[in-house]
Amino acid sequence: MATLKKHCVSLTRTGIWVAFADTVTYDHGSFSFLQKRHKSCNKRPKKKIYHRVPELDRVMELQKKPSLILHLKDIVFKQKKHCILLRDLEKEVGVIQKWNFMSIIERYPSIFRVHGGNRRPHVLELTDKVLTLAKDEEKVRENMEPIVVKNLRKLLMMSMDCRVALDKINLIRLELGLPENYVSGIILKYPEFFKLDEINGRDYVLLERWDPDLAVTAREASSKGDNSLVSGHGKKVPVSKDGNFLGPFSFKLDFPLGFRPNMKYLEEVQKWQKLAFPSPYLNARQFDPASSAARKRAVAVLHELLSLTLEKSGKYVYSGE
């Protein structure tokens, strides 16, 4: 029979040392295993400091109210008769969120209308103007379906192994213009383009067919035949103080406020600007993650991803490495 012995605990001035020496004894001998010591330090971890960005705070604050209004509008519109009992609203959104919606209903009578009372249940519905707009929105979504399908294919073509987790797509569903039922209404509707599969217990959307005609970035399409981007003609171009460089492979840069780069940094930025434009549709495994080309491809991927969203950003920012 084997016997297991554990020892010992010793105290030091700097803290507590705990050592376990395991000795297993057999009939023909004993074997001692290496001791593992774990030191518990009395020092407290440093408090992490978070820096707020006022511009982002303002954007998030401005989006709170419209997102609530649109969410409530979708809940009412998806009902059979485009109306819902107020008492049933709690089943849709929960108790806490219901009271947030109640304040929205009272504040915006031009969007939501409540009728009932005198022993009749209160019913929430959309005003005639909003109901008309909601129906027009459904028609627009139907007309946009080919564009949405194309953008989803381009997104998968940029992804590693041409697949994206379903929960990741849910995070940017609204930005891509995908409907709420996009799994059944888009992915399963086009089996020649998309496929659902479970990988390691996680649902993924896979690309079924690669299309070389779609592997053209919005930047390349807009600058096709534009010779204004080409400059220098082999001559040495002076280093720009703001990091911008007029060339076919350059990006528009905006340094953070208060950032004053030295000349060596600006020279490195200009070298990076002159690097060939790596297509985001190239396989990422071709690039060394620590290389300048990989970093430039990351910016190219960000540009192309923004071009697929409904609210396209007209100004791209790169804050340096």
Side-chain angles (χ1 to χ4, degrees):
M1 297 296 292
T3 60
L4 180 64
K5 300 178 182 180
K6 297 183 179 180
H7 58 281
C8 58
V9 178
S10 61
L11 302 178
T12 66
R13 295 181 181 178
T14 57
I16 301 177
W17 289 75
V18 182
F20 298 97
D22 295 348
T23 304
V24 183
T25 305
Y26 295 88
D27 294 338
H28 300 285
S30 63
F31 301 90
S32 297
F33 294 92
L34 183 65
Q35 297 181 0
K36 297 182 179 180
R37 297 185 176 183
H38 304 278
K39 181 179 177 181
S40 64
C41 184
N42 293 329
K43 294 182 180 179
R44 293 183 179 180
K46 292 183 179 180
K47 185 178 180 181
K48 193 171 182 179
I49 300 175
Y50 295 92
H51 299 279
R52 302 187 69 90
V53 181
E55 292 79 7
L56 294 179
D57 288 343
R58 283 195 292 269
V59 170
M60 296 302 296
E61 193 64 31
L62 289 173
Q63 288 183 350
K64 282 183 181 180
K65 200 172 293 182
S67 62
L68 282 175
I69 295 174
L70 292 174
H71 187 193
L72 183 57
K73 185 268 296 180
D74 292 338
I75 291 175
V76 178
F77 185 73
K78 74 178 182 180
Q79 305 299 322
K80 289 184 179 180
K81 297 183 179 180
H82 304 309
C83 61
I84 185 173
L85 296 175
L86 278 181
R87 65 190 180 195
D88 293 337
L89 186 60
E90 184 177 322
K91 300 177 183 178
E92 295 282 343
V93 297
V95 180
I96 298 177
Q97 191 74 337
K98 175 187 175 181
W99 292 110
N100 293 333
F101 283 142
M102 293 298 294
S103 62
I104 292 292
I105 294 170
E106 295 176 359
R107 188 172 298 180
Y108 297 96
S110 60
I111 301 177
F112 305 104
R113 182 171 54 196
V114 178
H115 60 83
N118 295 328
R119 297 184 179 179
R120 290 185 302 170
H122 289 85
V123 179
L124 173 65
E125 62 182 11
L126 302 173
T127 59
D128 295 338
K129 184 177 180 180
V130 176
L131 187 60
T132 302
L133 291 174
K135 292 179 180 178
D136 292 341
E137 183 182 0
E138 286 294 308
K139 296 178 182 178
V140 172
R141 287 187 180 276
E142 293 177 2
N143 296 332
M144 281 185 59
E145 187 170 299
I147 301 176
V148 171
V149 171
K150 182 189 73 172
N151 290 347
L152 185 57
R153 292 171 65 191
K154 290 172 73 74
L155 176 66
L156 293 174
M157 288 172 63
M158 283 191 293
S159 306
M160 191 76 71
D161 299 325
C162 295
R163 68 187 188 191
V164 179
L166 201 61
D167 54 351
K168 298 297 183 182
I169 297 180
N170 291 335
L171 296 176
I172 57 174
R173 178 184 66 83
L174 295 177
E175 284 75 10
L176 294 176
L178 293 171
E180 188 176 1
N181 62 336
Y182 74 93
V183 175
S184 59
I186 298 292
I187 296 176
L188 299 180
K189 186 178 179 180
Y190 296 92
E192 66 273 21
F193 298 141
F194 312 113
K195 176 185 176 181
L196 282 178
D197 195 7
E198 183 178 339
I199 302 175
N200 297 327
R202 197 176 183 186
D203 294 328
Y204 279 82
V205 181
L206 285 75
L207 183 70
E208 284 287 271
R209 190 179 67 191
W210 178 275
D211 190 350
D213 295 333
L214 295 181
V216 179
T217 64
R219 171 192 170 93
E220 293 169 334
S222 62
S223 62
K224 201 172 184 179
D226 187 4
N227 297 323
S228 62
L229 289 175
V230 182
S231 68
H233 303 288
K235 299 180 181 180
K236 186 176 181 180
V237 180
V239 178
S240 175
K241 293 183 178 180
D242 59 1
N244 289 294
F245 172 77
L246 187 60
F249 310 125
S250 62
F251 289 100
K252 176 70 172 66
L253 304 187
D254 279 330
F255 290 129
L257 293 176
F259 181 67
R260 299 291 183 267
N262 54 30
M263 185 56 62
K264 184 178 179 181
Y265 182 90
L266 292 173
E267 289 175 355
E268 292 297 324
V269 170
Q270 184 163 298
K271 290 180 183 178
W272 184 84
Q273 288 277 44
K274 292 180 179 180
L275 285 176
F277 179 81
S279 174
Y281 295 102
L282 293 175
N283 193 330
R285 291 191 175 92
Q286 299 179 10
F287 300 90
D288 180 8
S291 64
S292 299
R295 290 192 288 269
K296 193 156 190 176
R297 182 186 178 275
V299 179
V301 170
L302 180 59
H303 275 237
E304 185 68 3
L305 180 59
L306 289 174
S307 72
L308 302 180
T309 60
L310 295 180
E311 299 181 8
K312 298 177 178 65
S313 175
K315 184 177 182 182
Y316 303 110
V317 178
Y318 172 68
S319 59
E321 298 178 10

